[in-house]
Amino acid sequence: MVTKAPPRSASAAHRALRLLLAAGVTAVSLVAVPGTAAAEDEKSAGNTLTVAVSQSIDSLSPFLAQKLTSTSIHRLAYEYLTNYDAKDARTIPGLATAWTPSADKLTWTYTIRENSTWSDGKPATAEDAAWTFNKMMTDPNAATANGSFTANFAQVTAPDAKTLVIRLKKPQATMTALDVPIVPKHVWEKVGDFSKFNNDKQFPIVGNGPFVITDFKVDQYIKLKPNKTFWRGAPKFDELVFKYYKDGDAAVAALQKGEVSFVPNLTPAQAAALGTQKNIKVNDAPGRRFYALATNPGAKAQDGKPFGNGHKALLDPEVRKALFLAVDRTTLVAKVFQGHAVEGEGYIPPRFGSYFWKPETGQKRAYDPAEAAKVLDAAGYRKNADGKRVGKDGRPLDFRILCHATDPNDKAVGKYLQEWWGELGVGLKVECLDSVSDPWVKGDYDLAFDGWSVNPDPDYVLSIHTCGTLPETPKDSGATDNFICDRQFDGLYAQQAVEYDAAKRADLVKRMQSRLYDTGYMNIMAYPNALEAYRTDQIKSITTMPEAGGNLWGQDGYWSWWSAVPAASASEGESSGSSTNIWLILGPAAIVLVAVGVWTARRRRSTADDRE
């Protein structure tokens, strides 16, 4: 895993010294320094960690962002109250160093650390956290992304700079897993309309995480610099760049050329090709995502008004059941993912063992196209003379599915669905778009390829299927994933949200998954592995999560990019007598070798290694 650069020769400097001595120059001092200007430029270029991404950033506002790329960047730029340990995802301190519930679990007191500062030099305090939560509680537009976490908050106060007090309406099981970026009050209190403020006009963006966002161009790049005052220690790379690639093959080619350091979301073919190449390491680990087929349940707002143009036949549970009976998950895992995935069942991936759920034998919808045909026949959707299924209204079962143009899995699975459903008499048009957001939020779709990363606490990915996350009106946007609103699911969600007993809560979460499975609005097809690669001649070491065989991209924390060590540092301070570490200085003194600079560099590097 560790690739060292070859030792740099000192022969050029020694030859120069011999020439000076031969010429009778005795007044020479040798002083070890970081290097020549050219070497420094080379080092600076080598200390940029570039990550290829294919997903557009929906917003740089923590109050609006929901996409994985955006939320991953926010984990780097802002602290949460708590974090997740890289080893096993247990809760550890973040901005808060300690937390204590009252006896009735209705009041939680957090101790805010004293050594966290905003990147503009101001201290991060409990007042910043209180303001963040209060804004979400009082402004619906500020609750777009993470409103489920504060919906049960009755009052949030900051008695002093180190103390945050949250009073609840009823017990809440997520109080040690509030995945909400805390923002600086002195910056954000100047914002007007939170629904329109994307936080992408003024740089650098003030934060208190390990990195500071310094520049952003839509669908081009986002740049970050180390936060030198970060309490856990500054990152080791001089710059972190997320570079947008619409085409996955282009990103892989950039990795091969050394233009980027890391590429996530590889196809099996790409991973196989990269695995044989020098200076490239492929990481293949169980992922935290699910890959699903979602149906439009009839998009509507909280005011009850329907909108969108979803196919009405999909409101029939028998149609949804038939479609899912005609999906061969085993084939998809073998052919599309080529074994780098696990066959999908419940909503929570098997990586999260306590919450993982599997349908009962009689409940499971195994691949059975003959049974699918019987279900449609019985429901009144029979084939006409052309072999097309038509409803009682005479409308054919011709559906559209939203496909991410940047995701080759969508396209490949789409072809299989066209074949399987075509044999069933159902038509399917695969609509691959650069961004599926616009038709999705408008409800202008029939089906969609869907997928979410699941946190160690599953509350958030469960909340996005509750009625309360629907948009207030058809003109608004909500936190809902797929416009699902099921009262039975909502009842179970409310129960798990207040259940502190881990085993009882896990049982409720499994019952929620069972209900979601039975409604047929979501069909989990696979749990893809995290298939990713990085250059070992650019990255010396990096932390996966979990540390034993985990992923790098999209972690529940900032561990990967914060911990990454530049490969160039492998040769720093070695006793090779590098010519780039010596200047010849003419002066009145005799020949003196001053090695303090080298010793100091070694000591700094040792300290940095101890911190990992």
Side-chain angles (χ1 to χ4, degrees), residues 11 23 56 68 75 122 146 155 157 174 220 230 245 306 321 352 399 424 434 447 460 464 472 513 536 565:
S11 58
S56 298
L68 178 62
R75 285 188 179 274
K122 298 183 183 298
N146 299 304
Q155 184 184 46
T157 58
T174 62
Q220 292 184 46
F230 184 54
Y245 286 87
K321 178 181 179 181
F352 304 98
F399 300 125
L424 197 59
D434 289 342
L447 302 109
Y460 182 79
I464 57 179
E472 290 192 3
Q513 295 178 76
T536 56
V565 177

Side-chain angles (χ1 to χ4, degrees), residues 91-422:
T91 300
I92 59 173
L95 181 59
T97 60
W99 43 89
T100 306
S102 59
D104 60 6
K105 302 289 181 70
L106 292 178
T107 301
W108 286 71
T109 302
Y110 299 82
T111 301
I112 303 302
R113 68 173 58 254
E114 297 180 3
N115 59 338
S116 179
T117 58
W118 298 109
S119 52
D120 62 1
K122 298 183 183 298
T125 69
E127 182 61 30
D128 295 304
W131 187 89
T132 299
F133 291 131
N134 276 305
K135 188 64 182 179
M136 294 169 62
M137 294 162 59
T138 57
D139 185 342
N141 292 322
T144 299
N146 299 304
S148 63
F149 289 113
T150 59
N152 182 43
F153 288 10
Q155 184 184 46
V156 182
T157 58
D160 57 61
K162 296 194 303 179
T163 308
L164 175 73
V165 179
I166 301 177
R167 187 165 59 83
L168 304 173
K169 300 172 185 176
K170 54 188 176 183
Q172 182 169 322
T174 62
M175 296 307 290
T176 60
L178 297 173
D179 293 327
V180 177
I182 304 301
V183 303
K185 175 186 175 182
H186 65 280
V187 174
W188 284 84
E189 64 183 353
K190 301 171 186 176
V191 176
D193 188 346
F194 273 64
S195 69
K196 297 179 180 178
F197 183 71
N198 281 314
N199 198 31
D200 57 2
K201 296 295 185 289
Q202 279 192 312
F203 299 96
I205 295 174
V206 178
N208 65 336
F211 289 90
V212 178
I213 301 172
T214 58
D215 195 11
F216 171 62
K217 292 291 185 294
V218 176
D219 287 349
Q220 292 184 46
Y221 61 79
I222 182 166
K223 297 181 179 181
L224 302 93
K225 294 281 190 181
N227 180 0
K228 299 297 185 181
T229 63
F230 184 54
W231 66 270
R232 199 184 289 274
K236 300 169 186 62
F237 273 87
D238 296 330
E239 186 174 44
L240 174 62
V241 178
F242 293 88
K243 189 174 181 180
Y244 179 82
Y245 286 87
K246 179 180 177 181
D247 182 73
D249 288 333
V252 169
L255 181 74
Q256 292 171 320
K257 295 175 184 177
E259 296 172 354
V260 301
S261 316
F262 174 89
V263 176
N265 306 321
L266 298 173
T267 65
Q270 290 170 340
L274 290 173
T276 63
Q277 298 189 21
K278 183 181 178 182
N279 295 330
I280 293 179
K281 178 177 176 61
V282 174
N283 186 45
D284 185 0
R288 54 182 282 240
R289 293 181 65 80
F290 63 78
Y291 182 74
L293 190 63
T295 63
N296 187 336
K300 63 181 178 180
Q302 292 189 40
D303 61 9
K305 294 181 180 178
F307 58 93
N309 58 16
H311 201 298
K312 301 300 181 185
L314 289 172
L315 302 181
D316 187 337
E318 294 302 291
V319 172
R320 300 195 298 271
K321 178 181 179 181
L323 291 180
F324 297 159
L325 283 169
V327 175
D328 187 353
R329 295 173 178 82
T330 303
T331 292
L332 295 182
V333 168
K335 300 296 185 181
V336 176
F337 296 98
Q338 295 183 29
H340 299 279
V342 176
E343 189 174 328
E345 294 180 294
Y347 189 65
I348 308 296
R351 169 168 163 173
F352 304 98
S354 61
Y355 296 113
F356 180 60
W357 170 86
K358 300 177 69 169
E360 301 291 339
T361 303
Q363 182 184 20
K364 184 174 182 178
R365 297 193 185 104
Y367 178 57
D368 192 341
E371 179 63 21
K374 292 179 182 178
V375 170
L376 288 178
D377 286 339
Y381 299 89
R382 298 184 176 274
K383 287 186 177 180
N384 60 18
D386 297 324
K388 294 284 295 182
R389 295 275 178 181
V390 295
K392 296 174 183 178
D393 58 0
R395 185 181 180 185
L397 295 188
D398 284 328
F399 300 125
R400 306 156 296 166
I401 185 167
L402 286 177
C403 157
H404 301 80
T406 57
D407 191 338
N409 292 328
D410 284 7
K411 299 173 186 177
V413 174
K415 291 180 180 179
Y416 277 104
L417 295 181
Q418 286 177 320
E419 176 186 342
W420 294 330
W421 293 356

Side-chain angles (χ1 to χ4, degrees), residues 327-606:
V327 175
D328 187 353
R329 295 173 178 82
T330 303
T331 292
L332 295 182
V333 168
K335 300 296 185 181
V336 176
F337 296 98
Q338 295 183 29
H340 299 279
V342 176
E343 189 174 328
E345 294 180 294
Y347 189 65
I348 308 296
R351 169 168 163 173
F352 304 98
S354 61
Y355 296 113
F356 180 60
W357 170 86
K358 300 177 69 169
E360 301 291 339
T361 303
Q363 182 184 20
K364 184 174 182 178
R365 297 193 185 104
Y367 178 57
D368 192 341
E371 179 63 21
K374 292 179 182 178
V375 170
L376 288 178
D377 286 339
Y381 299 89
R382 298 184 176 274
K383 287 186 177 180
N384 60 18
D386 297 324
K388 294 284 295 182
R389 295 275 178 181
V390 295
K392 296 174 183 178
D393 58 0
R395 185 181 180 185
L397 295 188
D398 284 328
F399 300 125
R400 306 156 296 166
I401 185 167
L402 286 177
C403 157
H404 301 80
T406 57
D407 191 338
N409 292 328
D410 284 7
K411 299 173 186 177
V413 174
K415 291 180 180 179
Y416 277 104
L417 295 181
Q418 286 177 320
E419 176 186 342
W420 294 330
W421 293 356
E423 294 174 356
L424 197 59
V426 176
L428 181 66
K429 181 181 180 182
V430 181
E431 299 180 338
C432 292
L433 307 174
D434 289 342
S435 176
V436 301
S437 296
D438 287 342
W440 201 319
V441 298
K442 293 177 182 177
D444 291 340
Y445 67 99
D446 301 327
L447 302 109
F449 290 110
D450 199 1
W452 285 83
S453 291
V454 179
N455 296 328
D457 188 296
D459 181 85
Y460 182 79
V461 291
L462 296 171
S463 74
I464 57 179
H465 295 308
T466 57
C467 301
T469 59
L470 295 175
E472 290 192 3
T473 72
K475 295 182 179 180
D476 298 317
S477 60
T480 182
D481 172 43
N482 194 46
F483 302 105
I484 294 174
C485 178
D486 178 74
R487 297 300 174 185
Q488 185 174 332
F489 183 89
D490 271 26
L492 291 168
Y493 176 80
Q495 291 181 58
Q496 69 82 33
V498 302
E499 182 55 71
Y500 286 107
D501 183 280
K504 292 180 180 179
R505 185 176 179 226
D507 180 66
L508 288 165
V509 169
K510 290 176 181 178
R511 289 169 60 189
M512 292 177 70
Q513 295 178 76
S514 178
R515 176 60 183 171
L516 195 61
Y517 187 91
D518 288 342
T519 62
Y521 292 126
M522 293 285 290
N523 180 33
I524 310 300
M525 295 184 287
Y527 310 112
N529 284 8
L531 206 53
E532 50 202 9
Y534 65 91
R535 294 198 63 93
T536 56
D537 55 354
Q538 294 185 22
I539 302 175
K540 174 187 175 185
S541 63
I542 190 168
T543 300
T544 59
M545 183 178 185
E547 285 186 350
N551 58 290
L552 293 167
W553 171 245
Q555 293 182 354
D556 302 297
Y558 42 67
W559 309 114
S560 54
W561 314 128
W562 171 78
S563 71
V565 177
S569 67
S571 59
E572 289 178 5
E574 292 180 355
S575 58
S576 59
S578 170
S579 62
T580 59
N581 281 345
I582 297 177
W583 279 0
L584 299 176
I585 304 175
L586 300 182
I591 299 175
V592 179
L593 178 60
V594 183
V596 174
V598 175
W599 179 83
T600 304
R602 281 179 176 168
R603 186 176 59 182
R604 282 199 299 267
R605 192 181 75 248
S606 177

